[in-house]
Amino acid sequence: MRKWTRDGEVVVGRFDRQEAAVVRGLVSQIQDMLLARADEAPQDELSELTGIRTGPSTAPDDPILGRLLPDFHRLDPDAPDPGDLDSAAALRSLHEPELLDLKTGTAGVVLDTCPPEGGEVRLLPEQAEAWLASINDVRLALGTALDVNEDMPDELPPDDPRSPHLGVYHWLTWVQETLIEAVMS
């Protein structure tokens, strides 16, 4: 991949076939996980009548989903303690469906704009923002799966099963950084 560049209001990148397959495959996996989580939402008559959706009231058991869908907290200092299980459950139930829609929507933008066979990607500002959000979600998921932390070396020994995946993580970091640079220029 070449570094993202700016062409007027459009941000331009180029992916070879393998790079496009990696991006599309990882984004699809995250989208599938999020859609499965959305399917777990309780269905009730009140939601159907009012159009107000509610989500699960408990945090995901999967550590990757837990990283992508963290607990919700109130910013109001007079609000009940955010550690209060009833408050956290209510906030999750109210806000998780919206977050899931946002995350699956940004994944859809990446899948719609990244050519399966590789090639040039031309993004309008809103599409670039969606790419940034979706690539960030992939990096969060991959970082969680690899147990990336500040003490982890940039390279792992070749016999470490995480080694090739860490390379993908670093490449995605570069893709995200150069996209930010192009968006900001």
Side-chain angles (χ1 to χ4, degrees):
M1 174 182 183
R2 293 188 317 212
K3 180 177 170 178
W4 290 95
T5 59
R6 185 127 189 170
D7 182 12
E9 284 213 10
V10 176
V11 178
V12 182
R14 177 172 280 295
F15 292 85
D16 68 25
R17 179 189 299 243
Q18 183 179 2
E19 292 166 338
V22 168
V23 168
R24 291 179 61 81
L26 291 171
V27 169
S28 291
Q29 287 177 26
I30 298 303
Q31 187 182 48
D32 290 346
M33 290 175 72
L34 294 168
L35 289 170
R37 175 67 177 184
D39 288 343
E40 294 174 11
Q43 302 298 320
D44 62 36
E45 291 178 24
L46 184 59
S47 293
E48 291 178 23
L49 289 173
T50 63
I52 299 172
R53 297 179 305 149
T54 58
S57 59
T58 57
D61 292 330
D62 181 278
I64 292 172
L65 277 176
R67 185 72 172 107
L68 295 173
L69 303 168
D71 286 333
F72 295 85
H73 298 283
R74 293 182 189 232
L75 298 177
D76 179 358
D78 295 326
D81 176 11
D84 175 31
L85 292 179
D86 290 337
S87 175
L91 287 170
R92 177 173 293 281
S93 180
L94 287 173
H95 296 291
E96 188 174 287
E98 182 181 331
L99 184 58
L100 286 166
D101 288 347
L102 179 68
K103 288 178 177 289
T104 57
T106 61
V109 170
V110 173
L111 296 174
D112 289 345
T113 56
C114 184
E117 302 301 317
E120 187 174 78
V121 177
R122 297 182 65 81
L123 304 175
L124 296 170
E126 305 81 32
Q127 293 170 317
E129 293 293 327
W131 267 72
L132 286 170
S134 194
I135 294 296
N136 190 59
D137 283 345
V138 170
R139 287 185 61 249
L140 285 172
L142 195 52
T144 301
L146 297 173
D147 196 26
V148 171
N149 60 52
E150 63 227 18
D151 297 329
M152 180 177 264
D154 285 341
E155 291 184 33
L156 295 171
D159 61 336
D160 189 312
R162 300 172 300 164
S163 184
H165 304 292
L166 185 61
V168 171
Y169 177 86
H170 289 310
W171 176 73
L172 288 169
T173 301
W174 179 83
V175 169
Q176 186 179 38
E177 286 174 356
T178 63
L179 181 53
I180 290 168
E181 289 171 5
V183 166
M184 300 301 286
S185 67

